[in-house]
Amino acid sequence: IAGPIYYVGFVTLLGILWAGYDPIRQTQSELGAVNAPHGLLMNVAGFMALGVVILAFAASYHLVVRPSPWRWVASGLMVVAGLGMVTVGFFPCDAGCVDVTRTSELHSIFSMPGAIGLPVAVMLSSLAFRSDGRFGPSWQVVSFLLGLATLASGPIIATDLLPDGLGLLQRAAMWTPALWMSVVGLRLNAV
């Protein structure tokens, strides 16, 4: 429950600590770039930690949500997303996150499982929640729409269609499914 909230706060703090960093225009990956003042910290305590949180949530989700084929698929996608985020921490992007080196290219490649897998897992959770009486129709609809909106932002981010708002859009796309995990965790603990 606390892991995604920690991540949001941690990323926000690192952005504040970097003089001149603009969270509206600059991505979270830039906080871990080779030229970032706290790059190692972001890569380990940010990206890798978020990956571990996603993996822990996937395990809990799989154990606690009532059995269905969609639970299997959603938790499997969460595992892929979590492993991708852990791996991202090993490959910092180049300055400005413009892929010049192979390491930066690998950063971009390994960020895709989280950017795709987690939103799809959120969407498919709407189907898993159908067989779990703790999640009514509103949970199902909201989960589907949040996952869909997050997934739809991917092509906009990848093609840099909104360069003046890229950081904000990326945060919305990444933080939404992460915070969804916190809310679902709360619901599973409350019922």
Side-chain angles (χ1 to χ4, degrees), residues 64-67 127-136 140 188 191:
V64 177
V65 172
R66 296 205 174 100
L127 299 171
F129 292 165
R130 276 198 215 168
S131 61
D132 193 313
R134 296 170 288 186
F135 298 95
Q140 297 165 34
L188 290 170
V191 181

Side-chain angles (χ1 to χ4, degrees), residues 5-24 26-33 35-50 89 171 175:
I5 297 164
Y6 154 80
Y7 178 79
V8 169
F10 183 73
V11 169
T12 302
L13 178 63
L14 286 185
I16 291 168
L17 293 174
W18 186 356
Y21 178 82
D22 181 0
I24 304 296
Q26 292 176 272
T27 66
Q28 297 167 95
S29 292
E30 289 182 65
L31 293 169
N35 67 323
H38 307 288
L40 182 60
L41 199 55
M42 176 62 187
N43 288 318
V44 175
F47 294 134
M48 289 180 171
L50 179 61
R171 280 168 175 73
W175 293 1

Side-chain angles (χ1 to χ4, degrees), residues 1 17 25 43 56 66 108 110 112 119:
I1 295 168
L17 293 174
R25 299 189 74 186
N43 288 318
R66 296 205 174 100
S108 296
F110 285 111
M112 286 183 204

Side-chain angles (χ1 to χ4, degrees), residues 145-165:
L145 292 175
L146 285 177
L148 182 62
T150 302
L151 191 61
S153 69
I156 298 168
I157 294 168
T159 55
D160 202 18
L161 288 178
L162 297 173
D164 291 336

Side-chain angles (χ1 to χ4, degrees), residues 81-98:
L83 291 173
M85 287 307 301
V86 169
T87 306
V88 161
F90 289 105
F91 301 103
C93 65
D94 294 323
C97 284
V98 176

Side-chain angles (χ1 to χ4, degrees), residues 57 61-62 65-66 68-78 117-132 135-137 139-145 147 177 180-181 184 188:
F57 179 80
Y61 178 97
H62 188 76
V65 172
R66 296 205 174 100
S68 77
W70 299 111
R71 180 196 69 176
W72 277 94
V73 176
S75 53
L77 286 167
M78 290 176 204
L118 196 53
V120 173
V122 172
M123 288 174 63
L124 293 179
S125 290
S126 66
L127 299 171
F129 292 165
R130 276 198 215 168
S131 61
D132 193 313
F135 298 95
W139 282 91
Q140 297 165 34
V141 170
V142 169
S143 293
F144 181 81
L145 292 175
W180 172 89
M181 292 188 311
V184 169
L188 290 170

